[in-house]
């Protein structure tokens, strides 16, 4: 059974930094891309950053230049380094695996359970 487990969320002051980690486990053959979404209270879930097998990355305009997504394909792990955090970055951050293929041939997208990030003084 595939699972995505996040870690690294918490409370940080404005201007501070946090690093999120997410590891995918299970009988995984390949993953097209991994990344992060977030959902603030009362708002829709939005894409934050993605990294693909090709090495290409995508960032939301709101985090470009402040956040960096990286990955370790061998470990099926993705990281999000968040710098210069703002109160508007407060949200639950969800790890996402795009087009994950298992050795059984099963194929789907997967979500982690979410980790809260609060930016406040």
């Amino acid at each position: 059974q595939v699972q995505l487990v996040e870690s690294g969320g918490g409370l940080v002051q404005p201007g501070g930094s946090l690093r999120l980690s997410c590891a995918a486990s299970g009988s995984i053959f390949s993953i097209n891309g991994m990344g992060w979404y977030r959902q603030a209270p009362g708002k829709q879930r939005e894409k934050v950053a993605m990294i693909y097998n090709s090495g290409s990355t995508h960032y939301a305009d709101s985090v470009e230049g402040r956040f960096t997504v990286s990955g370790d394909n061998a470990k099926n792990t993705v990281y999000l380094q968040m710098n210069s955090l703002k109160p508007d970055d407060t949200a639950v951050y969800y790890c996402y695996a795009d087009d994950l293929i298992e050795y059984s041939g099963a194929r789907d997208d997967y979500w982690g359970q979410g980790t809260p990030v609060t930016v406040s003084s």
Side-chain angles (χ1 to χ4, degrees), residues 49-110:
M50 289 288 296
I51 183 166
Y52 296 95
N53 267 344
S54 63
S56 65
T57 56
H58 168 82
Y59 294 94
D61 289 343
S62 59
V63 307
E64 183 83 53
R66 300 187 298 121
F67 291 10
T68 302
V69 63
S70 60
D72 185 334
N73 289 342
K75 296 181 180 180
N76 293 322
T77 300
V78 65
Y79 307 96
L80 185 67
Q81 178 65 43
M82 304 186 292
N83 298 330
S84 302
L85 283 159
K86 305 174 181 179
D88 283 350
D89 295 318
T90 295
V92 177
Y93 284 69
Y94 295 90
C95 179
Y96 174 70
D98 175 64
D99 194 21
L100 185 151
I101 303 175
E102 299 180 63
Y103 280 103
S104 67
R107 184 172 198 161
D108 208 342
D109 301 332
Y110 288 87

Side-chain angles (χ1 to χ4, degrees), residues 37-49:
Y37 282 66
R38 69 185 181 187
Q39 187 166 18
K43 294 187 177 181
Q44 289 189 329
R45 191 173 296 190
E46 63 174 354
K47 184 185 293 184
V48 175

Side-chain angles (χ1 to χ4, degrees), residues 1 6 11 16 20 24 28 44-45 51 56 66 79 97 119-120:
Q1 183 177 356
E6 303 114 330
L11 173 65
L20 305 183
I28 299 169
Q44 289 189 329
R45 191 173 296 190
I51 183 166
S56 65
R66 300 187 298 121
Y79 307 96
V119 185
S120 175

